[in-house]
Short mmCIF file of all heavy atoms in Angstrom, two decimals:
data_model
loop_
_atom_site.label_atom_id
_atom_site.label_comp_id
_atom_site.label_asym_id
_atom_site.label_seq_id
_atom_site.Cartn_x
_atom_site.Cartn_y
_atom_site.Cartn_z
N GLY O 30 0.69 16.88 9.62
CA GLY O 30 2.11 17.06 9.44
C GLY O 30 2.59 16.47 8.13
O GLY O 30 1.84 15.84 7.41
N GLN O 31 3.86 16.66 7.85
CA GLN O 31 4.43 16.16 6.61
C GLN O 31 4.64 14.66 6.70
O GLN O 31 5.12 14.14 7.68
CB GLN O 31 5.75 16.85 6.30
CG GLN O 31 5.56 18.26 5.85
CD GLN O 31 6.81 18.80 5.18
OE1 GLN O 31 7.80 18.13 5.02
NE2 GLN O 31 6.73 20.04 4.76
N GLY O 32 4.29 13.97 5.62
CA GLY O 32 4.48 12.54 5.53
C GLY O 32 5.83 12.21 4.94
O GLY O 32 6.77 12.99 5.00
N ALA O 33 5.89 11.04 4.33
CA ALA O 33 7.14 10.57 3.74
C ALA O 33 7.63 11.49 2.64
O ALA O 33 6.84 11.98 1.82
CB ALA O 33 6.92 9.16 3.18
N HIS O 34 8.92 11.76 2.64
CA HIS O 34 9.58 12.54 1.59
C HIS O 34 8.99 13.95 1.44
O HIS O 34 8.90 14.48 0.34
CB HIS O 34 9.51 11.80 0.25
CG HIS O 34 10.05 10.41 0.33
ND1 HIS O 34 11.38 10.13 0.48
CD2 HIS O 34 9.42 9.21 0.29
CE1 HIS O 34 11.55 8.82 0.53
NE2 HIS O 34 10.38 8.25 0.43
N GLY O 35 8.58 14.58 2.54
CA GLY O 35 8.10 15.96 2.50
C GLY O 35 6.76 16.13 1.83
O GLY O 35 6.42 17.21 1.37
N ARG O 36 5.97 15.08 1.77
CA ARG O 36 4.65 15.16 1.14
C ARG O 36 3.58 15.38 2.20
O ARG O 36 3.66 14.84 3.29
CB ARG O 36 4.36 13.89 0.35
CG ARG O 36 5.20 13.81 -0.90
CD ARG O 36 4.79 12.60 -1.73
NE ARG O 36 5.29 12.69 -3.08
CZ ARG O 36 6.49 12.32 -3.46
NH1 ARG O 36 7.34 11.85 -2.58
NH2 ARG O 36 6.85 12.42 -4.72
N LEU O 37 2.58 16.18 1.85
CA LEU O 37 1.46 16.45 2.74
C LEU O 37 0.22 15.74 2.21
O LEU O 37 -0.21 15.99 1.08
CB LEU O 37 1.18 17.96 2.78
CG LEU O 37 2.29 18.85 3.30
CD1 LEU O 37 1.95 20.31 3.06
CD2 LEU O 37 2.50 18.59 4.78
N PRO O 38 -0.37 14.85 3.01
CA PRO O 38 -1.60 14.19 2.56
C PRO O 38 -2.77 15.16 2.64
O PRO O 38 -2.85 15.99 3.55
CB PRO O 38 -1.76 13.04 3.55
CG PRO O 38 -1.04 13.48 4.78
CD PRO O 38 0.08 14.38 4.31
N GLY O 39 -3.66 15.09 1.67
CA GLY O 39 -4.83 15.96 1.66
C GLY O 39 -5.96 15.35 0.86
O GLY O 39 -5.85 14.25 0.35
N ARG O 40 -7.05 16.10 0.78
CA ARG O 40 -8.23 15.65 0.05
C ARG O 40 -8.75 16.81 -0.79
O ARG O 40 -8.89 17.93 -0.29
CB ARG O 40 -9.31 15.19 1.03
CG ARG O 40 -10.53 14.59 0.36
CD ARG O 40 -11.54 14.09 1.37
NE ARG O 40 -10.99 13.16 2.34
CZ ARG O 40 -10.91 11.84 2.17
NH1 ARG O 40 -11.36 11.30 1.07
NH2 ARG O 40 -10.41 11.09 3.11
N VAL O 41 -9.03 16.54 -2.06
CA VAL O 41 -9.54 17.57 -2.96
C VAL O 41 -10.91 18.04 -2.47
O VAL O 41 -11.78 17.22 -2.18
CB VAL O 41 -9.64 17.04 -4.41
CG1 VAL O 41 -10.32 18.07 -5.31
CG2 VAL O 41 -8.27 16.68 -4.95
N GLU O 42 -11.06 19.35 -2.34
CA GLU O 42 -12.35 19.94 -1.98
C GLU O 42 -13.08 20.49 -3.19
O GLU O 42 -14.30 20.45 -3.25
CB GLU O 42 -12.14 21.06 -0.95
CG GLU O 42 -11.62 20.56 0.37
CD GLU O 42 -11.46 21.66 1.39
OE1 GLU O 42 -11.76 22.84 1.08
OE2 GLU O 42 -11.03 21.35 2.51
N ARG O 43 -12.30 20.99 -4.16
CA ARG O 43 -12.91 21.64 -5.32
C ARG O 43 -11.90 21.73 -6.44
O ARG O 43 -10.71 21.93 -6.20
CB ARG O 43 -13.37 23.04 -4.91
CG ARG O 43 -14.00 23.84 -5.99
CD ARG O 43 -14.42 25.19 -5.49
NE ARG O 43 -14.88 25.99 -6.61
CZ ARG O 43 -15.14 27.26 -6.57
NH1 ARG O 43 -15.00 27.91 -5.44
NH2 ARG O 43 -15.56 27.90 -7.62
N GLY O 44 -12.37 21.60 -7.67
CA GLY O 44 -11.52 21.79 -8.83
C GLY O 44 -12.28 22.60 -9.87
O GLY O 44 -13.44 22.32 -10.14
N VAL O 45 -11.63 23.62 -10.44
CA VAL O 45 -12.27 24.48 -11.44
C VAL O 45 -11.33 24.61 -12.64
O VAL O 45 -10.18 25.04 -12.49
CB VAL O 45 -12.57 25.88 -10.86
CG1 VAL O 45 -13.22 26.76 -11.91
CG2 VAL O 45 -13.45 25.79 -9.63
N PHE O 46 -11.82 24.24 -13.82
CA PHE O 46 -11.05 24.38 -15.05
C PHE O 46 -11.22 25.81 -15.55
O PHE O 46 -12.34 26.30 -15.71
CB PHE O 46 -11.52 23.38 -16.10
CG PHE O 46 -10.80 23.49 -17.41
CD1 PHE O 46 -9.42 23.34 -17.47
CD2 PHE O 46 -11.48 23.74 -18.57
CE1 PHE O 46 -8.73 23.43 -18.67
CE2 PHE O 46 -10.83 23.84 -19.78
CZ PHE O 46 -9.45 23.69 -19.83
N LEU O 47 -10.10 26.51 -15.79
CA LEU O 47 -10.14 27.93 -16.16
C LEU O 47 -9.55 28.19 -17.54
O LEU O 47 -9.01 29.25 -17.80
CB LEU O 47 -9.40 28.76 -15.10
CG LEU O 47 -9.97 28.67 -13.69
CD1 LEU O 47 -9.05 29.35 -12.69
CD2 LEU O 47 -11.36 29.29 -13.64
N GLY O 48 -9.65 27.22 -18.44
CA GLY O 48 -9.16 27.43 -19.80
C GLY O 48 -7.80 26.84 -20.04
O GLY O 48 -7.65 25.91 -20.81
N SER O 49 -6.77 27.36 -19.39
CA SER O 49 -5.42 26.82 -19.58
C SER O 49 -4.90 26.12 -18.32
O SER O 49 -3.90 25.43 -18.37
CB SER O 49 -4.45 27.94 -19.97
OG SER O 49 -4.37 28.90 -18.94
N ILE O 50 -5.60 26.31 -17.20
CA ILE O 50 -5.20 25.68 -15.94
C ILE O 50 -6.43 25.13 -15.22
O ILE O 50 -7.56 25.51 -15.52
CB ILE O 50 -4.50 26.68 -14.98
CG1 ILE O 50 -5.46 27.80 -14.57
CG2 ILE O 50 -3.20 27.21 -15.57
CD1 ILE O 50 -5.01 28.58 -13.35
N THR O 51 -6.16 24.24 -14.27
CA THR O 51 -7.19 23.79 -13.35
C THR O 51 -6.77 24.26 -11.96
O THR O 51 -5.66 23.99 -11.52
CB THR O 51 -7.34 22.26 -13.36
OG1 THR O 51 -7.71 21.84 -14.68
CG2 THR O 51 -8.41 21.80 -12.38
N ARG O 52 -7.64 25.00 -11.29
CA ARG O 52 -7.38 25.47 -9.93
C ARG O 52 -8.03 24.48 -8.98
O ARG O 52 -9.24 24.28 -9.02
CB ARG O 52 -7.93 26.87 -9.72
CG ARG O 52 -7.59 27.43 -8.35
CD ARG O 52 -7.99 28.88 -8.20
NE ARG O 52 -7.15 29.68 -9.09
CZ ARG O 52 -7.56 30.81 -9.67
NH1 ARG O 52 -8.77 31.28 -9.45
NH2 ARG O 52 -6.74 31.48 -10.46
N VAL O 53 -7.22 23.87 -8.13
CA VAL O 53 -7.68 22.82 -7.23
C VAL O 53 -7.50 23.30 -5.79
O VAL O 53 -6.43 23.77 -5.41
CB VAL O 53 -6.89 21.52 -7.45
CG1 VAL O 53 -7.40 20.41 -6.54
CG2 VAL O 53 -6.96 21.09 -8.91
N THR O 54 -8.55 23.17 -4.99
CA THR O 54 -8.48 23.47 -3.56
C THR O 54 -8.39 22.14 -2.82
O THR O 54 -9.22 21.25 -3.02
CB THR O 54 -9.72 24.25 -3.09
OG1 THR O 54 -9.82 25.45 -3.87
CG2 THR O 54 -9.62 24.61 -1.62
N VAL O 55 -7.34 22.03 -1.98
CA VAL O 55 -7.07 20.79 -1.25
C VAL O 55 -7.10 21.09 0.24
O VAL O 55 -6.50 22.07 0.70
CB VAL O 55 -5.69 20.22 -1.65
CG1 VAL O 55 -5.38 18.95 -0.88
CG2 VAL O 55 -5.62 19.98 -3.15
N GLY O 56 -7.80 20.27 1.00
CA GLY O 56 -7.79 20.36 2.45
C GLY O 56 -6.61 19.59 3.01
O GLY O 56 -6.45 18.40 2.71
N VAL O 57 -5.76 20.29 3.78
CA VAL O 57 -4.57 19.68 4.37
C VAL O 57 -4.51 20.09 5.84
O VAL O 57 -4.38 21.28 6.14
CB VAL O 57 -3.28 20.15 3.66
CG1 VAL O 57 -2.05 19.58 4.33
CG2 VAL O 57 -3.30 19.80 2.18
N ASP O 58 -4.63 19.13 6.74
CA ASP O 58 -4.52 19.42 8.19
C ASP O 58 -5.43 20.56 8.64
O ASP O 58 -5.01 21.44 9.38
CB ASP O 58 -3.09 19.75 8.56
CG ASP O 58 -2.33 18.58 9.14
OD1 ASP O 58 -2.97 17.57 9.49
OD2 ASP O 58 -1.10 18.67 9.24
N GLY O 59 -6.66 20.59 8.15
CA GLY O 59 -7.60 21.63 8.54
C GLY O 59 -7.41 22.96 7.84
O GLY O 59 -8.12 23.92 8.12
N GLN O 60 -6.46 23.05 6.93
CA GLN O 60 -6.21 24.27 6.16
C GLN O 60 -6.54 24.01 4.70
O GLN O 60 -6.56 22.87 4.25
CB GLN O 60 -4.73 24.68 6.28
CG GLN O 60 -4.27 24.94 7.68
CD GLN O 60 -4.93 26.17 8.29
OE1 GLN O 60 -5.02 27.20 7.64
NE2 GLN O 60 -5.38 26.05 9.52
N ARG O 61 -6.75 25.08 3.95
CA ARG O 61 -6.98 24.96 2.52
C ARG O 61 -5.76 25.44 1.75
O ARG O 61 -5.20 26.50 2.05
CB ARG O 61 -8.19 25.79 2.10
CG ARG O 61 -9.48 25.17 2.55
CD ARG O 61 -10.65 25.86 1.88
NE ARG O 61 -11.87 25.18 2.25
CZ ARG O 61 -12.83 25.72 2.97
NH1 ARG O 61 -12.72 26.97 3.38
NH2 ARG O 61 -13.90 25.04 3.26
N VAL O 62 -5.36 24.65 0.77
CA VAL O 62 -4.24 24.98 -0.11
C VAL O 62 -4.78 25.04 -1.53
O VAL O 62 -5.49 24.13 -1.96
CB VAL O 62 -3.12 23.92 -0.01
CG1 VAL O 62 -2.00 24.23 -0.97
CG2 VAL O 62 -2.60 23.81 1.42
N THR O 63 -4.47 26.13 -2.25
CA THR O 63 -4.90 26.26 -3.64
C THR O 63 -3.72 25.98 -4.54
O THR O 63 -2.64 26.54 -4.37
CB THR O 63 -5.45 27.68 -3.91
OG1 THR O 63 -6.56 27.91 -3.04
CG2 THR O 63 -5.92 27.81 -5.34
N VAL O 64 -3.95 25.09 -5.52
CA VAL O 64 -2.91 24.67 -6.44
C VAL O 64 -3.40 24.93 -7.85
O VAL O 64 -4.56 24.64 -8.17
CB VAL O 64 -2.61 23.17 -6.26
CG1 VAL O 64 -1.53 22.70 -7.21
CG2 VAL O 64 -2.25 22.85 -4.83
N GLU O 65 -2.55 25.48 -8.70
CA GLU O 65 -2.90 25.68 -10.11
C GLU O 65 -2.05 24.74 -10.95
O GLU O 65 -0.82 24.77 -10.89
CB GLU O 65 -2.69 27.13 -10.53
CG GLU O 65 -3.68 28.05 -9.84
CD GLU O 65 -3.58 29.49 -10.27
OE1 GLU O 65 -2.59 29.88 -10.94
OE2 GLU O 65 -4.50 30.25 -9.94
N LEU O 66 -2.72 23.89 -11.72
CA LEU O 66 -2.07 22.89 -12.55
C LEU O 66 -2.35 23.15 -14.02
O LEU O 66 -3.46 23.57 -14.37
CB LEU O 66 -2.57 21.49 -12.18
CG LEU O 66 -2.39 21.11 -10.70
CD1 LEU O 66 -3.15 19.83 -10.40
CD2 LEU O 66 -0.92 20.95 -10.39
N LYS O 67 -1.38 22.90 -14.88
CA LYS O 67 -1.56 23.11 -16.32
C LYS O 67 -2.61 22.16 -16.87
O LYS O 67 -2.65 20.99 -16.49
CB LYS O 67 -0.25 22.90 -17.06
CG LYS O 67 0.78 23.94 -16.75
CD LYS O 67 2.06 23.67 -17.53
CE LYS O 67 3.11 24.68 -17.16
NZ LYS O 67 4.38 24.41 -17.84
N GLY O 68 -3.43 22.69 -17.77
CA GLY O 68 -4.40 21.86 -18.48
C GLY O 68 -5.63 21.50 -17.66
O GLY O 68 -5.86 22.02 -16.57
N ARG O 69 -6.42 20.61 -18.24
CA ARG O 69 -7.67 20.16 -17.61
C ARG O 69 -7.37 18.91 -16.78
O ARG O 69 -6.75 17.98 -17.26
CB ARG O 69 -8.71 19.85 -18.67
CG ARG O 69 -10.05 19.52 -18.09
CD ARG O 69 -11.07 19.28 -19.21
NE ARG O 69 -12.38 19.32 -18.63
CZ ARG O 69 -13.26 20.30 -18.82
NH1 ARG O 69 -12.96 21.29 -19.63
NH2 ARG O 69 -14.42 20.29 -18.22
N ARG O 70 -7.82 18.89 -15.51
CA ARG O 70 -7.56 17.77 -14.61
C ARG O 70 -8.88 17.23 -14.06
O ARG O 70 -9.27 17.52 -12.94
CB ARG O 70 -6.65 18.22 -13.47
CG ARG O 70 -5.26 18.63 -13.91
CD ARG O 70 -4.49 17.48 -14.54
NE ARG O 70 -4.40 16.34 -13.66
CZ ARG O 70 -3.37 16.09 -12.87
NH1 ARG O 70 -2.32 16.89 -12.85
NH2 ARG O 70 -3.37 15.01 -12.10
N ASP O 71 -9.55 16.43 -14.87
CA ASP O 71 -10.82 15.82 -14.43
C ASP O 71 -10.61 14.73 -13.40
O ASP O 71 -11.56 14.30 -12.75
CB ASP O 71 -11.57 15.25 -15.64
CG ASP O 71 -12.03 16.34 -16.60
OD1 ASP O 71 -12.37 17.44 -16.12
OD2 ASP O 71 -12.05 16.09 -17.81
N ASP O 72 -9.37 14.24 -13.24
CA ASP O 72 -9.08 13.18 -12.27
C ASP O 72 -9.06 13.69 -10.83
O ASP O 72 -9.08 12.89 -9.90
CB ASP O 72 -7.74 12.52 -12.60
CG ASP O 72 -6.58 13.51 -12.65
OD1 ASP O 72 -6.77 14.63 -13.13
OD2 ASP O 72 -5.48 13.13 -12.21
N LEU O 73 -9.05 15.01 -10.64
CA LEU O 73 -8.98 15.58 -9.29
C LEU O 73 -10.35 16.09 -8.85
O LEU O 73 -10.55 17.27 -8.60
CB LEU O 73 -7.93 16.69 -9.26
CG LEU O 73 -6.51 16.20 -9.55
CD1 LEU O 73 -5.55 17.38 -9.65
CD2 LEU O 73 -6.05 15.21 -8.50
N ALA O 74 -11.28 15.16 -8.71
CA ALA O 74 -12.65 15.49 -8.30
C ALA O 74 -12.71 15.61 -6.77
O ALA O 74 -11.86 15.07 -6.06
CB ALA O 74 -13.60 14.39 -8.78
N PRO O 75 -13.72 16.32 -6.26
CA PRO O 75 -13.88 16.42 -4.81
C PRO O 75 -13.91 15.04 -4.15
O PRO O 75 -14.54 14.11 -4.65
CB PRO O 75 -15.22 17.14 -4.65
CG PRO O 75 -15.33 17.98 -5.89
CD PRO O 75 -14.73 17.11 -6.98
N GLY O 76 -13.16 14.94 -3.04
CA GLY O 76 -13.10 13.71 -2.29
C GLY O 76 -11.88 12.85 -2.60
O GLY O 76 -11.55 11.93 -1.84
N VAL O 77 -11.20 13.12 -3.71
CA VAL O 77 -10.03 12.34 -4.09
C VAL O 77 -8.88 12.64 -3.12
O VAL O 77 -8.59 13.80 -2.84
CB VAL O 77 -9.61 12.64 -5.55
CG1 VAL O 77 -8.26 12.01 -5.87
CG2 VAL O 77 -10.68 12.17 -6.52
N GLU O 78 -8.24 11.58 -2.62
CA GLU O 78 -7.08 11.75 -1.75
C GLU O 78 -5.84 12.02 -2.60
O GLU O 78 -5.63 11.35 -3.61
CB GLU O 78 -6.88 10.52 -0.88
CG GLU O 78 -7.99 10.35 0.14
CD GLU O 78 -7.76 9.17 1.06
OE1 GLU O 78 -6.67 8.56 1.04
OE2 GLU O 78 -8.70 8.85 1.81
N VAL O 79 -5.04 13.00 -2.17
CA VAL O 79 -3.84 13.39 -2.90
C VAL O 79 -2.70 13.59 -1.90
O VAL O 79 -2.91 13.63 -0.69
CB VAL O 79 -4.06 14.69 -3.71
CG1 VAL O 79 -5.09 14.50 -4.80
CG2 VAL O 79 -4.45 15.85 -2.81
N ALA O 80 -1.50 13.72 -2.43
CA ALA O 80 -0.33 14.09 -1.62
C ALA O 80 0.33 15.28 -2.31
O ALA O 80 0.56 15.24 -3.51
CB ALA O 80 0.64 12.92 -1.50
N LEU O 81 0.59 16.33 -1.55
CA LEU O 81 1.21 17.53 -2.10
C LEU O 81 2.68 17.57 -1.72
O LEU O 81 3.04 17.29 -0.58
CB LEU O 81 0.52 18.79 -1.56
CG LEU O 81 -0.97 18.92 -1.79
CD1 LEU O 81 -1.48 20.20 -1.14
CD2 LEU O 81 -1.29 18.89 -3.26
N ARG O 82 3.51 17.93 -2.67
CA ARG O 82 4.93 18.18 -2.41
C ARG O 82 5.13 19.66 -2.68
O ARG O 82 4.88 20.14 -3.78
CB ARG O 82 5.82 17.35 -3.31
CG ARG O 82 7.30 17.50 -2.99
CD ARG O 82 8.16 16.62 -3.85
NE ARG O 82 7.96 16.86 -5.28
CZ ARG O 82 8.58 17.80 -5.98
NH1 ARG O 82 9.43 18.61 -5.39
NH2 ARG O 82 8.35 17.92 -7.27
N LEU O 83 5.55 20.39 -1.67
CA LEU O 83 5.64 21.84 -1.76
C LEU O 83 7.08 22.30 -1.61
O LEU O 83 7.57 22.48 -0.49
CB LEU O 83 4.77 22.50 -0.67
CG LEU O 83 3.31 22.04 -0.64
CD1 LEU O 83 2.63 22.57 0.60
CD2 LEU O 83 2.59 22.48 -1.88
N PRO O 84 7.79 22.53 -2.72
CA PRO O 84 9.16 23.05 -2.62
C PRO O 84 9.14 24.45 -2.00
O PRO O 84 8.30 25.28 -2.35
CB PRO O 84 9.64 23.12 -4.07
CG PRO O 84 8.64 22.38 -4.88
CD PRO O 84 7.37 22.32 -4.09
N ALA O 85 10.04 24.71 -1.08
CA ALA O 85 10.07 25.98 -0.36
C ALA O 85 10.15 27.18 -1.31
O ALA O 85 9.53 28.22 -1.07
CB ALA O 85 11.22 26.01 0.62
N ASP O 86 10.88 27.05 -2.41
CA ASP O 86 11.03 28.18 -3.32
C ASP O 86 9.79 28.44 -4.18
O ASP O 86 9.73 29.42 -4.91
CB ASP O 86 12.26 28.01 -4.21
CG ASP O 86 12.19 26.78 -5.11
OD1 ASP O 86 11.35 25.89 -4.86
OD2 ASP O 86 12.99 26.71 -6.06
N ALA O 87 8.79 27.56 -4.07
CA ALA O 87 7.55 27.74 -4.83
C ALA O 87 6.41 28.31 -3.98
O ALA O 87 5.31 28.48 -4.46
CB ALA O 87 7.11 26.40 -5.43
N LEU O 88 6.70 28.61 -2.71
CA LEU O 88 5.66 29.08 -1.80
C LEU O 88 5.70 30.60 -1.64
O LEU O 88 6.76 31.21 -1.66
CB LEU O 88 5.83 28.44 -0.42
CG LEU O 88 5.73 26.92 -0.39
CD1 LEU O 88 6.01 26.43 1.03
CD2 LEU O 88 4.38 26.45 -0.86
N LEU O 89 4.53 31.18 -1.45
CA LEU O 89 4.40 32.59 -1.15
C LEU O 89 3.53 32.71 0.08
O LEU O 89 2.37 32.29 0.08
CB LEU O 89 3.75 33.34 -2.33
CG LEU O 89 3.41 34.80 -2.08
CD1 LEU O 89 4.69 35.61 -1.85
CD2 LEU O 89 2.64 35.36 -3.26
N ARG O 90 4.09 33.24 1.16
CA ARG O 90 3.34 33.38 2.40
C ARG O 90 2.68 34.75 2.43
O ARG O 90 3.32 35.78 2.20
CB ARG O 90 4.26 33.26 3.60
CG ARG O 90 3.49 33.41 4.88
CD ARG O 90 4.36 33.28 6.08
NE ARG O 90 3.54 33.52 7.25
CZ ARG O 90 3.95 33.42 8.47
NH1 ARG O 90 5.19 33.05 8.70
NH2 ARG O 90 3.16 33.67 9.47
N LEU O 91 1.39 34.76 2.72
CA LEU O 91 0.62 36.00 2.85
C LEU O 91 0.31 36.20 4.32
O LEU O 91 -0.34 35.37 4.94
CB LEU O 91 -0.67 35.91 2.03
CG LEU O 91 -0.48 35.61 0.54
CD1 LEU O 91 -1.83 35.42 -0.13
CD2 LEU O 91 0.30 36.73 -0.13
N ASP O 92 0.81 37.29 4.89
CA ASP O 92 0.55 37.57 6.30
C ASP O 92 -0.86 38.08 6.50
O ASP O 92 -1.42 38.75 5.66
CB ASP O 92 1.54 38.63 6.81
CG ASP O 92 2.96 38.10 6.89
OD1 ASP O 92 3.14 36.90 7.19
OD2 ASP O 92 3.90 38.89 6.64
N ASP O 93 -1.42 37.73 7.66
CA ASP O 93 -2.74 38.20 8.04
C ASP O 93 -2.65 39.68 8.37
O ASP O 93 -1.87 40.11 9.21
CB ASP O 93 -3.22 37.42 9.25
CG ASP O 93 -4.65 37.74 9.63
OD1 ASP O 93 -5.28 38.58 8.96
OD2 ASP O 93 -5.13 37.15 10.60
N ALA O 94 -3.43 40.52 7.68
CA ALA O 94 -3.36 41.97 7.86
C ALA O 94 -4.20 42.47 9.04
O ALA O 94 -4.11 43.63 9.41
CB ALA O 94 -3.81 42.68 6.59
N SER O 95 -5.01 41.59 9.64
CA SER O 95 -5.85 42.05 10.74
C SER O 95 -5.03 42.27 12.00
O SER O 95 -4.05 41.57 12.24
CB SER O 95 -6.98 41.05 11.01
OG SER O 95 -6.44 39.80 11.34
N PRO O 96 -5.43 43.26 12.82
CA PRO O 96 -4.66 43.59 14.04
C PRO O 96 -4.75 42.53 15.09
O PRO O 96 -5.55 41.72 15.19
CB PRO O 96 -5.28 44.88 14.53
CG PRO O 96 -6.55 45.06 13.80
CD PRO O 96 -6.53 44.12 12.63
#
């Protein structure tokens, strides 16, 4: 669940530098969240504990297409 001030605690599973961004996969409550951050982020190695703040207007929900 959400922690203090709307933050979600998680743990970095993977980080990939893609030239202008770093794509980070974070495990949160048994789910995976993908975050794209500007620049190179070597500080977000697998196993690092993080807290995510997710503004509602920055989210895109993808519905499951399976019947």
Side-chain angles (χ1 to χ4, degrees):
Q31 287 196 2
H34 306 289
R36 288 186 164 85
L37 299 170
R40 185 177 306 272
V41 174
E42 294 182 0
R43 179 179 173 190
V45 179
F46 179 58
L47 300 171
S49 62
I50 64 163
T51 299
R52 184 173 293 150
V53 182
T54 303
V55 179
V57 177
D58 262 346
Q60 301 293 315
R61 287 192 176 115
V62 177
T63 300
V64 180
E65 292 184 347
L66 303 169
K67 292 180 183 177
R69 186 178 195 109
R70 295 297 303 265
D71 293 326
D72 57 322
L73 297 174
V77 171
E78 291 183 9
V79 295
L81 303 178
R82 185 177 56 85
L83 306 171
D86 62 344
L88 299 176
L89 174 64
R90 180 179 177 177
L91 303 175
D92 291 326
D93 186 0
S95 60

